Amino acid sequence: MDIDPLETVEQLTEQQEEAKQNKASNQLNIWVAITVALLATFMGICKVKDDNIVQAMQQSQANKIDHWAFYQARNMREELAKSTELQLRLASKNVPADQKAEYQAAIDSYTKLAKEQHDKKEELKKQAEQDQVDYDNANYKDDQFDLSDALLAIAISLLAVTALTKQRWLYFVTLVPTGFGVLMGLAGLMGWHIHPTALVALLS
């Protein structure tokens, strides 16, 4: 059996090319696997922080509702005290002189009560407004984590397609949502003021 040198060289060349392709494919798969592992870890950390923020938002909302309810109760008490004070003032004009002192004491008592209710009402108003500020601040961070989660989910989906198609260029395309997703996650974790309001409004 004669050996064709040209055919042998072609076979060796094909084997070398196939080995190179396999090596490149394996290397790409390693990159994909490492990237997915890192993104999953980062998403897990962000998820824990985001869950705590959501709980804080729920608490702020509950506190705001409670404070406004107490505000209304204080307001009703204040108005009732003022109404009673007015009635006593009007009635005191027609009572004998020896009873005026008692009426004045009652008037002073209701005046004091109305002032106390007004002061407490204003304090509750401040607390309710602060609850809204706390809610808005927490919601700002929650938006950052939500956007990060969405972008990183897109990145992981693209990485799965990259692993199936073996297209190296697709891996680098995946780095775009990965970069923005990590940036938004870090913004939420570090308290950076990065908030694409238009995009968040579109998704809300």
Side-chain angles (χ1 to χ4, degrees):
M1 179 178 177
D2 295 334
I3 298 176
D4 187 350
L6 292 177
E7 184 179 349
T8 303
V9 170
E10 288 178 359
Q11 289 177 350
L12 289 173
T13 303
E14 289 176 358
Q15 291 175 357
Q16 289 176 350
E17 289 295 326
E18 186 177 349
K20 287 181 181 179
Q21 291 177 357
N22 289 336
K23 183 178 180 181
S25 176
N26 290 336
Q27 189 177 34
L28 180 61
N29 285 339
I30 291 172
W31 290 354
V32 169
I34 292 174
T35 305
V36 169
L38 291 174
L39 291 182
T41 302
F42 183 74
M43 289 175 72
I45 295 171
C46 290
K47 178 65 175 173
V48 173
K49 182 68 173 179
D50 190 30
D51 286 346
N52 291 334
I53 289 174
V54 170
Q55 291 178 4
M57 290 171 63
Q58 293 172 342
Q59 186 62 53
S60 295
Q61 191 76 345
N63 289 342
K64 184 181 73 172
I65 293 171
D66 288 343
H67 287 143
W68 280 123
F70 283 123
Y71 173 88
Q72 294 297 336
R74 296 289 183 190
N75 189 54
M76 291 177 63
R77 292 176 187 175
E78 179 189 1
E79 293 301 321
L80 182 59
K82 287 181 177 179
S83 176
T84 305
E85 175 195 351
L86 179 59
Q87 291 176 12
L88 288 171
R89 286 188 184 279
L90 293 174
S92 67
K93 295 179 179 180
N94 300 321
V95 298
D98 59 340
Q99 294 182 6
K100 285 192 178 290
E102 295 179 9
Y103 270 83
Q104 188 58 48
I107 290 170
D108 292 342
S109 176
Y110 279 101
T111 301
K112 180 181 178 182
L113 178 61
K115 185 179 183 309
E116 288 176 353
Q117 295 303 314
H118 176 78
D119 293 343
K120 291 179 180 179
K121 181 185 73 172
E122 291 303 312
E123 182 62 29
L124 286 167
K125 181 181 179 181
K126 291 179 182 178
Q127 291 175 350
E129 290 172 345
Q130 183 59 48
D131 292 332
Q132 183 63 47
V133 171
D134 293 341
Y135 179 88
D136 291 339
N137 290 338
N139 190 51
Y140 184 91
K141 290 185 177 181
D142 184 56
D143 288 341
Q144 292 174 321
F145 283 121
D146 288 344
L147 192 56
S148 172
D149 189 52
L151 289 167
L152 294 182
I154 293 171
I156 289 175
S157 297
L158 289 174
L159 286 169
V161 175
T162 301
L164 290 172
T165 61
K166 312 297 183 184
Q167 298 297 317
R168 186 181 295 265
W169 64 267
L170 190 55
Y171 177 84
F172 294 103
V173 171
T174 303
L175 296 180
V176 175
T178 297
F180 282 112
V182 170
L183 176 63
M184 294 309 301
L186 289 174
L189 290 171
M190 303 297 181
W192 298 341
H193 292 286
I194 303 174
H195 192 268
T197 305
L199 181 58
V200 171
L202 180 64
L203 297 175
S204 299

